[in-house]
Amino acid sequence: MKLTGVDLLRVRMPLVSPFRTSFGTQAERELLVLRAVTSEGEGWGECGAMVDPLYSSEYVDGVEHVLRTFLVPALLAADDLTANKVAPLLAKFKGHRMAKAALEMAVLDAELRAHGVSFATALGSTSDSVACGVSVGIMDSIPQLLDAVGGYLDAGYLRIKLKIEPGWDVEPVRAVRERFGDDVLLQVDANTAYTLSDVPQLRRLDPFELLLIEQPLEEEDVLGHAELAKHIRTPICLDESVVSARSAADAIRLGACRIVNIKPSRVGGYLEARRVHDVCAAHGVPVWCGGMIETGLGRAANVALASLPGFTLPGDTSASDRFYRTDITEPFVLEGGRLPVPSGPGLGVTPIAERLAEVTVAKSWLTD
Ligand code: NPG
């Protein structure tokens, strides 16, 4: 397969309500969508990076620059391109995993569409639907949080994840447990907001029987997580710290986590995400699929990934309407707390041209 060029679309979509995490509040999602044009047909990719480098070091303008200057030219120069060759061809460029992931996704989609194979089949899916959880942002008040959680439970979500930060941790968890009971699958996500000096506070979460606490400490503090694990009962799950199958293996070996959140964009793509899954499965470590407020494109691929056998916990694979009133593909709709795994070739979904045009704020064609 030969890559002819890549259409780079900057898309801006309003969120149904502002989403607050320990690193900031988002009212809209601005992201890059890629259309790879190849000798075998086209394929779609989506980049997880946000406008600001607050979740990780990557950000939309930086991704655009590295794609344009280094990554796309390296693939344009390849004669016999396959999705499996993307990572090796780009390996000499350090980091920039989200940019690489978006490009690999587009090439993989083109390849799979040409062969009539779905993402799910290519990745090793063993299920035709996935259990869905939802990520609930930090709110201004407990009553507001309880309303939101109640709404998601009514919608059928099978697991609730509360965003936490110092000052918004034990009380919201207690309130949710008191209102909705001990049977609700409940977990929390700190997005690196704590330090080891917070052990006493984090230990106060132990009585609530949470499924896990996600990324309490800094991204690079793997040993700190191993230390923290000795002092709290809640299982630690890593997100930001796991950037590859190798780092997953290291973290598990060091005792830094008992569960892993897999986000394909964070680890450089769906093929590496599958390797993270395989490493975790080999160690008996459960995984679940994280989310980066994806459009229907990324959501389709995430749902396919989440249907692999090691994904034994519900993911942040929520329905399209969790974030968007109108998606750029046909919406993903919850059915009994689950989403169907797309079975068509490639992603199994395609952007609706008019919808995509409505939300596209800039477009450029990258070619030789
Ligand atoms: O369902 O897509 C989703 C959002 C899940 O909370 C979610 N993502 O830290 O995991 C995270 C968080 C996030 C949101 C990360 C925005 C980066 C930006």
Side-chain angles (χ1 to χ4, degrees), residues 19 21 23 26 29 48-50 54-56 98 133-137 161 163 189-191 214 239-240 261 263 266 288-294 299 302 315-319 322-323:
F19 185 53
T21 64
F23 55 80
Q26 268 180 282
R29 176 73 166 109
M50 306 282 152
L54 298 177
Y55 164 81
S56 71
M98 290 186 178
V134 61
S135 175
V136 186
K161 156 167 147 180
K163 290 289 189 180
D189 182 5
N191 288 112
E214 189 179 349
D239 171 8
E240 284 90 330
N261 163 336
K263 284 181 186 161
R266 196 192 64 224
W288 55 279
C289 184
M292 294 292 286
I293 317 186
E294 282 86 357
R299 208 161 289 278
N302 284 352
D316 283 344
T317 46
S318 35
R322 158 68 184 92
F323 289 110

Side-chain angles (χ1 to χ4, degrees), residues 271-323:
L271 301 180
E272 183 71 5
R274 180 176 56 188
R275 287 189 280 273
V276 178
H277 161 274
D278 295 348
V279 160
C280 292
H283 287 84
V285 169
V287 300
W288 55 279
C289 184
M292 294 292 286
I293 317 186
E294 282 86 357
T295 73
L297 295 171
R299 208 161 289 278
N302 284 352
V303 168
L305 179 73
S307 69
L308 268 62
F311 286 80
T312 53
L313 293 169
D316 283 344
T317 46
S318 35
S320 299
D321 68 1
R322 158 68 184 92
F323 289 110

